[in-house]
Amino acid sequence: MFDELLQAARELLAVRSPLDAELLVSDLLGTWWPQRHRTLGGAGVEQIVGEGLIEYAAQRRSPAALALLSGIACLGTSRQAIAAEQAAIALIDDGVRAPRWAEYLGAVSPAECYVNPDEWGDQDEVICVFSYAGEEPHALVSVIDYNAAGMIRDGWVSSQVDKLLDHCRSASARSGTRPDEGFREIDAPQARKMLQAALAATDAAEDPPVSEAFAARHAFIRARIRALPPAAGRAGRPKRAWPPERRALLAAEFLASDEAEELSDRRAASRCADLIIDFGCDQDSGRPQRMSPAKVQNFMLGYLPRKVLLSVADQNAMPHAVGAWIRWSGRIRGLSDAAVGQTLDTLFDSMATFSRIYRDPAEFGLDEKLVARLLPDSDLEALPRRAFAFPILEGRHGGVDLSKLDPSDPSDRRLLLAADHDTRTGSPSAAGVGRHIDRHLALADRLWRGSPSALWDAAQRLLDTGEDRHMVLHALMDVLDAAGGDETALKTALRELATGLSDDDLNGLTNPDA
């Protein structure tokens, strides 16, 4: 594989432009970007492949190897950049000739930065202009999608900077957007802050919904973000999350509006408003008043059916509350009647589907009171993992009525887990078992919170292999113990758990006596 990558790097010897060279190297580095979360023996793909390629190229002592190392020194990760630069210097000292464009790498300087939002605020195009000491100006266009957790979903480079900017200005003028909400210049530190957060969201996702060409541009985008100046002082700090009191004030403002006057069930309308606000604050970069066709569809057909436990009254009230919120927020934000109408059309089109796909747990034969005890926060997505952590919620144990215990209360959790343990072992908890329950308690707390999400993913993979619940619990507890509080090590170990293991390996992992 390294030999094939080095042969592909021979194209670098034919280019004259440092920009073309950087794009070629970025394309090569993007070869393994989709597998960035894979690990082998605790080492990540960037270390195994990226740093392995550098070591391989350093031993070849050819112009193509030096060209590749020069490019990685500018576009690679921090570890890769240091190793590639040292290897490139060694080859130069040995008399290997560097390509002419190599002297310009790293000399890129930023110029103006702009943001080009769409009408609804679904996405921003962040445009950053760069040059090599005033030569070969080019613009990097990065698309941030706020309906996809604020990720960068696409990016491309244009050398026709003036034509690109003129097109954006003309399109913004034709749309009639207010100057402070349309295409406009922003300072470079602000652009860096926006792009850093967006790229981090993309990199953190296991399977982000990016364009087909994104992997090839990822390293280039990362390097250009590093070239932008950082924000100074408090300006570079993240904004505070919306506190509960601010959310409550916004809900009260909406419920007092003319648009909300038609909502007959005021209590259900209030609960629906809280959910709309929480979705906007937590899933849409702190913008609860922003509504768009795409956001409405995500809320009605994705977020609510997957994440939220709604009462029958709330299910009936939700479409009407969302419609009132669309009209109210559209008036507040100054959206055109056409934009508000198109968003309402999406809501109306989704109502029948929402009624069909939203499933109350009671429809599956689950006891409503038991579900309510497991979901005091109405987080429907948490139901499977919490039921896995606390399978016994009724009956009596040691004279205690388990149906009266609260699984969200740490003191009650111990009694519930002790009852579960004794049901399996057939013996009452003793002092030694009590220490064992402590391990179960630590695991149950993480499963309850879903922290990290990889914990429940690993549990499901083990269950899919046919292992019983008790063995899976012990395998997860062993991983927690081995990580020793290191969250990065924990996530790495969980991703590896039950991935590509033989039956003997699985037996060793899940056998508590092994």
Side-chain angles (χ1 to χ4, degrees):
M1 179 182 64
F2 291 154
D3 189 57
E4 290 180 2
L5 290 171
L6 193 55
Q7 288 186 35
R10 292 176 182 174
E11 293 184 39
L12 292 168
L13 302 177
V15 303
R16 296 183 178 182
S17 162
L19 177 60
D20 290 341
E22 286 192 80
L23 292 174
L24 274 172
V25 173
S26 181
D27 195 354
L28 287 173
L29 295 179
T31 304
W32 59 85
W33 181 81
Q35 307 297 323
R36 65 197 177 283
H37 291 304
R38 295 290 297 274
T39 58
L40 180 63
V45 169
E46 289 289 358
Q47 180 179 348
I48 296 171
V49 181
E51 296 176 25
L53 175 61
I54 293 169
E55 183 178 352
Y56 183 85
Q59 297 171 353
R60 292 302 170 270
R61 302 181 180 276
S62 66
L66 178 54
L68 178 59
L69 291 169
S70 299
I72 296 177
C74 292
L75 299 180
T77 65
S78 298
R79 286 171 55 104
Q80 292 168 1
I82 294 173
E85 182 178 15
Q86 293 174 344
I89 291 173
L91 293 189
I92 293 173
D93 290 343
D94 285 348
V96 180
R97 178 176 296 181
R100 293 189 60 182
W101 48 258
E103 62 184 280
Y104 295 98
L105 294 184
V108 67
S109 56
E112 303 86 9
C113 296
Y114 306 86
V115 63
N116 188 34
D118 67 3
E119 182 177 10
W120 287 289
D122 282 330
Q123 66 179 34
D124 285 335
E125 291 179 341
V126 180
I127 304 170
C128 301
V129 180
F130 299 88
S131 67
Y132 297 95
E135 299 295 327
E136 200 170 358
H138 54 279
L140 169 64
V141 183
S142 303
V143 181
I144 302 176
D145 189 339
Y146 296 105
N147 291 317
M151 299 179 188
I152 295 181
R153 293 187 59 174
D154 199 3
W156 65 89
V157 179
S158 174
S159 59
Q160 301 184 43
V161 177
D162 292 338
K163 184 177 180 180
L164 171 66
L165 298 180
D166 287 343
H167 171 76
C168 293
R169 292 188 185 99
S170 300
S172 183
R174 288 195 302 270
S175 69
T177 308
R178 295 191 326 224
D180 61 334
E181 293 185 354
F183 175 76
R184 61 194 182 275
E185 186 171 355
I186 58 176
D187 59 33
Q190 181 183 355
R192 173 169 176 156
K193 180 181 176 181
M194 293 174 66
L195 293 173
Q196 272 185 324
L199 188 61
T202 306
D203 288 340
E206 291 285 346
D207 187 20
V210 296
S211 69
E212 291 184 3
F214 179 80
R217 295 290 173 263
H218 176 266
F220 185 89
I221 294 171
R222 179 179 59 198
R224 285 299 183 268
I225 293 174
R226 290 196 298 243
L228 294 170
R234 296 182 62 87
R237 297 179 182 177
K239 294 181 180 179
R240 290 183 58 193
W242 278 62
E245 58 271 16
R246 187 181 177 191
R247 301 186 190 204
L249 286 173
L250 185 60
E253 182 181 349
F254 163 68
L255 293 171
S257 68
D258 293 340
E259 289 82 2
E261 187 175 357
E262 63 186 44
L263 302 176
S264 56
D265 189 339
R266 303 298 289 181
R267 294 183 64 183
S270 177
R271 292 191 294 269
C272 292
D274 290 340
L275 290 170
I276 295 169
I277 292 170
D278 289 344
F279 179 73
C281 292
D282 302 332
Q283 308 293 324
D284 188 26
S285 303
R287 300 184 297 174
Q289 290 178 299
R290 187 190 79 81
M291 299 299 281
S292 72
K295 182 177 178 180
V296 167
Q297 188 172 53
N298 286 346
F299 180 68
M300 295 293 294
L301 305 184
Y303 179 78
L304 290 178
R306 180 175 57 87
K307 288 283 293 180
V308 182
L309 179 65
L310 295 173
S311 67
V312 174
D314 292 351
Q315 292 177 49
N316 294 330
M318 184 60 73
H320 305 287
V322 173
W325 188 278
I326 290 170
R327 293 190 294 272
W328 173 71
S329 64
R331 174 172 61 83
I332 297 297
R333 296 177 60 216
L335 292 183
S336 65
D337 291 342
V340 173
Q342 190 172 342
T343 308
L344 287 170
D345 287 344
T346 299
L347 172 65
F348 298 146
D349 291 342
S350 70
M351 287 172 64
T353 305
F354 172 74
S355 299
R356 186 178 72 253
I357 67 174
Y358 188 88
R359 290 291 180 264
D360 191 295
E363 296 183 26
F364 300 101
L366 299 176
D367 184 86
E368 184 177 350
K369 293 182 179 180
L370 289 178
V371 172
R373 289 168 67 195
L374 289 171
L375 302 181
D377 52 3
S378 298
D379 186 357
L380 188 58
E381 192 177 44
L383 182 58
R385 67 172 188 270
R386 291 178 182 176
F388 174 77
F390 298 99
I392 297 180
L393 296 172
E394 294 184 307
R396 300 188 69 84
H397 177 261
V400 176
D401 184 355
L402 300 180
S403 65
K404 304 296 184 182
L405 299 181
D406 181 2
S408 66
D409 186 319
S411 60
D412 287 355
R413 284 178 179 176
R414 175 175 290 278
L415 293 174
L416 290 169
L417 291 174
D420 174 37
H421 187 274
D422 292 349
T423 299
R424 283 186 282 102
T425 61
S427 60
S429 299
V433 177
R435 289 191 293 273
H436 180 69
I437 296 297
D438 289 339
R439 300 177 68 214
H440 279 277
L441 192 60
L443 174 60
D445 175 67
R446 284 183 173 270
L447 286 169
W448 183 275
R449 293 182 287 113
S451 176
S453 60
L455 187 66
W456 178 233
D457 293 338
Q460 294 176 91
R461 288 198 303 272
L462 287 172
L463 291 169
D464 288 342
T465 66
E467 292 294 340
D468 65 31
R469 173 178 172 274
H470 178 60
M471 297 300 185
V472 173
L473 288 172
H474 277 268
L476 297 177
M477 289 190 296
D478 289 344
V479 171
L480 285 175
D481 291 343
D486 186 336
E487 294 298 312
T488 301
L490 174 61
K491 292 176 183 178
T492 299
L494 289 171
R495 288 194 184 102
E496 293 179 343
L497 194 60
T499 301
L501 298 178
S502 66
D503 291 340
D504 289 341
D505 292 331
L506 285 170
N507 183 60
L509 277 172
T510 58
N511 184 354
D513 298 322

